[in-house]
Amino acid sequence: MFKVVSKKQVFSQLSLALVIASSCAVANASSDPTRPLVAGLASANVDSATRKPGELVLQSIISPSAGTSPQGGSAVQHKAIISGQLVSLGEQVDGYQVIDISERQVVLQSEDKSKELVLFSRSVVTYK
């Protein structure tokens, strides 16, 4: 009626359960796996709870391999992730048209104003 289970099997099953539970807890604790570990750089996080309504945040710039383009030329076409939306040159995001994407910034233009979104703030420190 009852199956005899060794201490080794019980320990193994408990260990597996703890590993699964801890990995689920870690996955739920951090909503963005690319979020900086440094507390001072946490402002780059774009959680909807901390982002102001209508605020556009440049999260990432994607560059294809150097020297390649879909048309066979040598021009590099960057793409950007702005407030969770992947955009290319000429596309629209929140009422603005993307007019330039460089390695570190995106320039947006609406009918009456322009915005420049910078990937990294000036607080980034470089060490030699």
Side-chain angles (χ1 to χ4, degrees), residues 42-43 45-53 55:
S43 63
N45 191 9
V46 188
D47 289 342
S48 59
T50 59
R51 188 168 55 105
K52 297 174 189 171
E55 179 184 18

Side-chain angles (χ1 to χ4, degrees), residues 24-128:
C24 289
V26 168
N28 289 335
S30 61
S31 61
D32 183 5
T34 62
R35 187 169 130 186
L37 297 176
V38 180
L41 298 178
S43 63
N45 191 9
V46 188
D47 289 342
S48 59
T50 59
R51 188 168 55 105
K52 297 174 189 171
E55 179 184 18
L56 295 173
V57 178
L58 178 59
Q59 295 172 279
S60 181
I61 294 178
I62 303 165
S63 300
S65 299
T68 62
S69 79
Q71 294 81 19
S74 61
V76 177
Q77 288 291 329
H78 299 290
K79 293 186 180 208
I81 299 177
I82 301 174
S83 300
Q85 182 180 344
L86 178 66
V87 294
S88 299
L89 194 63
E91 292 184 347
Q92 296 280 329
V93 59
D94 200 25
Y96 288 88
Q97 182 177 10
V98 179
I99 60 170
D100 185 41
I101 303 175
S102 66
E103 291 181 8
R104 295 189 182 225
Q105 70 182 11
V106 173
V107 179
L108 305 172
Q109 181 71 45
S110 72
E111 290 182 13
D112 57 343
K113 60 183 173 178
S114 66
K115 281 189 179 189
E116 182 178 302
L117 305 177
V118 181
L119 187 58
F120 297 110
S121 69
R122 296 187 187 269
S123 64
V124 175
V125 178
T126 56
Y127 296 97
K128 293 183 179 182

